[in-house]
Amino acid sequence: MKIAVKKFGGTSVGSPERIKNIATRLIKAKKQFPNLVIVVSAMGATTDNLVKLAFEMSPTPCPREYDALISTGENVSAALLAMALNGAGTPAISLTGLQAGIKTENIYNRAKIIKVEPSRIYDELSKGKIVIVTGFQGVNHILDVTTIGRGGSDTSAVVLASVIGASECDICTDVDGVYTTDPRLVKNARKLDEISYDEMLELASLGAKVLHPRSVECAKENNIVIHVRSSFKDSEGTRVKEDTNLESQRPVTGITLNQEQATLSILKVPDTPGVAGVIFSRLAEKNINVDMIVQSINENKMNDVTYTIDKIDLDVAKKISQTICDDLHASRIEWDDNIAKLSVVGIGMVSKPGVAAKMFQVFGDHKINIKFISTSEIKISCVINKKDAQQALQYLHDAFELDKH
Ligand code: ASP
Ligand code: MG
């Protein structure tokens, strides 16, 4: 049985009209793909609102009930879409994670899917129905509802595609593909036809919101091509796939701008073994994700240690860092939340030297000061002043000629 899997995001099912519109599009699609499995997110801001409600009940909502609550947004959109289809005379059925056989680990809020038993899905398909599965949720071994982490419906769709033997998974969204950079910030940003898993993983982790990073990981592991495309148009989007036959001559594929970070420094930390371990394990204990780390050597066996974190963690990180500073007899802490991180990403840079040099030169030419630099094999990130960020993004996009094919 050849099955097509399509996932629709929260904006695409954000209102009754939009759900009806998706239904109309699916009725058309069914002529071409008789076996359709649809995965849906919750409508618009539903999940955010459910989260708010949970915290109104308790500052520390019980994880089991939290999942029982925030998973319901997907039940609503799945049922509504099935109603719209049935109402239009096309048989459809909504299935929850439990009914679709999605089994997860035995943890709440961020469980991994470990197995899918899709017999019910096949059953309903064989009756000619469009099957609509709730994204974002599964059940654990005692059939309690679990959720798989915010933004998880992309991953639900990719996992389902892999289990039922689809080679491609459509992720239908409110943009028509993956762009060289955010088209709202750079007018001549260009839609990419293809991008490799590794590049997409970097871009997604750096904050390109179009795909959830775990879904890309999952697609890579299972060799599923993700087709990111518009929910509202038939046009081709961007295929995320293994690095073959790509526009491989390009050294840079995309650029991201993250304005949601802050830096924190602990100044004049004694230069003794184990100190970095103390600092970063204390931050890790409080679940604070550290991104870039710079240690610079001072005179008199003292180091300044600076790191970047998500801005929302700044207050907590400040408190922890002050305690660390006191305990280690360092001099003081400093922070800056007027920063932005620009990252250029491309697998082509592995074989093409000079990408970093070019990036730094662009900043130099425009008198933009670089505060930090970090690199991986296929990425170079620079932290600069926030006020320069948007301009710098355009300069880089132009310098690497990303508007040209
Ligand atoms: N509704 C969930 C969320 O908002 C899952 C998703 O949209 O992918 O996080
Ligand atoms: Mg979403």
Side-chain angles (χ1 to χ4, degrees):
M1 191 190 290
K2 198 168 176 329
I3 303 169
V5 178
K6 294 177 188 290
K7 179 249 169 181
F8 291 92
T11 318
S12 312
V13 294
S15 68
E17 293 69 37
R18 289 196 173 176
I19 292 177
K20 283 189 187 165
N21 176 24
I22 301 293
T24 310
R25 296 182 55 77
L26 290 178
I27 293 168
K28 237 176 76 193
K30 194 171 191 304
K31 300 205 171 90
Q32 195 186 348
F33 306 101
N35 298 302
L36 273 179
V37 172
I38 307 304
V39 176
V40 287
S41 288
M43 294 170 73
T46 304
T47 314
D48 288 337
N49 293 334
L50 291 169
V51 168
K52 270 187 218 135
L53 266 178
F55 282 95
E56 272 176 45
M57 293 305 118
S58 153
T60 50
C62 149
R64 178 186 183 277
E65 304 311 331
Y66 183 83
D67 276 0
L69 177 72
I70 69 167
S71 60
T72 58
E74 274 69 13
N75 300 357
V76 173
S77 48
L80 289 176
L81 181 56
M83 282 176 199
L85 284 162
N86 285 321
T90 296
I93 186 166
S94 66
L95 297 179
T96 62
L98 169 67
Q99 292 165 328
I102 300 174
K103 303 276 162 65
T104 73
E105 307 174 301
N106 185 29
I107 55 172
Y108 298 101
N109 310 166
R110 52 187 164 80
K112 287 214 169 75
I113 298 174
I114 47 179
K115 191 161 80 184
V116 181
E117 287 159 358
S119 53
R120 179 77 187 273
I121 296 179
Y122 289 133
D123 235 36
E124 301 296 344
L125 286 173
S126 68
K127 293 178 197 156
K129 292 182 189 170
I130 295 181
V131 175
I132 301 153
V133 179
T134 52
F136 182 51
Q137 53 167 270
V139 291
N140 64 10
H141 65 298
I142 48 168
L143 306 187
D144 279 352
V145 178
T146 52
T147 61
I148 63 171
R150 294 301 308 273
S153 317
D154 292 345
T155 307
S156 306
V158 171
V159 170
L160 274 175
S162 145
V163 168
I164 61 188
S167 56
E168 213 169 276
C169 177
D170 281 358
I171 301 284
C172 307
T173 174
D174 52 345
V175 293
D176 56 2
V178 180
Y179 278 72
T180 50
T181 192
D182 188 338
R184 287 166 305 184
L185 302 180
V186 172
K187 287 282 165 291
N188 55 353
R190 181 172 59 87
K191 195 187 79 189
L192 297 159
D193 296 333
E194 296 181 354
I195 185 169
S196 70
Y197 292 125
D198 290 339
E199 289 170 324
M200 192 64 234
L201 258 179
E202 285 282 8
L203 291 178
S205 312
L206 289 165
K209 299 224 165 59
V210 57
L211 278 179
H212 192 270
R214 233 174 79 207
S215 70
V216 183
E217 245 165 44
C218 197
K220 182 180 174 178
E221 274 162 27
N222 297 290
N223 206 15
I224 302 286
V225 175
I226 297 180
H227 188 183
V228 180
R229 61 194 310 188
S230 164
S231 297
F232 314 113
K233 289 190 290 196
D234 284 328
S235 53
E236 292 281 296
T238 304
R239 285 196 166 75
V240 185
K241 52 192 280 205
E242 205 42 76
D243 154 42
T244 51
N245 199 3
L246 294 170
E247 302 169 46
S248 55
Q249 289 313 308
R250 64 192 179 198
V252 171
T253 298
I255 311 178
T256 59
L257 168 61
N258 182 336
Q259 308 195 77
E260 301 305 319
Q261 291 198 324
T263 64
L264 240 165
S265 307
I266 309 179
L267 304 182
K268 300 220 167 98
V269 182
D271 184 19
T272 47
V275 161
V278 171
I279 297 177
F280 294 105
S281 54
R282 292 223 198 143
L283 291 163
E285 276 164 24
K286 294 283 184 237
N287 267 325
I288 293 187
N289 239 324
V290 173
D291 180 21
M292 299 161 123
I293 300 172
V294 175
Q295 173 176 300
S296 48
I297 300 168
N298 265 311
E299 297 145 39
N300 306 328
K301 295 212 138 234
M302 299 285 188
N303 296 325
D304 292 345
V305 178
T306 304
Y307 51 90
T308 64
I309 49 169
D310 287 337
K311 212 183 266 182
I312 40 166
D313 291 331
L314 182 58
D315 282 340
V316 180
K318 272 200 291 208
K319 283 200 194 97
I320 302 170
S321 301
Q322 187 57 58
T323 320
I324 301 171
C325 178
D326 298 341
D327 292 355
L328 296 177
H329 306 289
S331 111
R332 64 195 156 88
I333 66 168
E334 270 180 7
W335 60 89
D336 184 358
D337 58 2
N338 271 311
I339 59 151
K341 182 175 74 174
L342 277 158
S343 309
V344 301
V345 173
I347 39 176
M349 71 177 72
V350 175
S351 56
K352 288 195 181 55
V355 175
K358 189 163 181 173
M359 184 176 188
F360 305 153
Q361 211 173 351
V362 169
F363 289 136
D365 289 348
H366 294 95
K367 306 264 178 301
I368 294 169
N369 188 37
I370 304 173
K371 294 173 182 275
F372 301 110
I373 300 166
S374 87
T375 62
S376 79
E377 263 210 308
I378 66 164
K379 175 199 77 180
I380 304 160
S381 297
C382 293
V383 168
I384 62 171
N385 239 323
K386 194 173 185 165
K387 69 172 177 32
D388 299 322
Q390 285 212 25
Q391 277 268 291
L393 177 61
Q394 181 75 58
Y395 295 144
L396 287 173
H397 199 268
D398 292 343
F400 288 105
E401 302 188 337
L402 295 190
D403 56 324
K404 304 202 179 85
H405 200 77

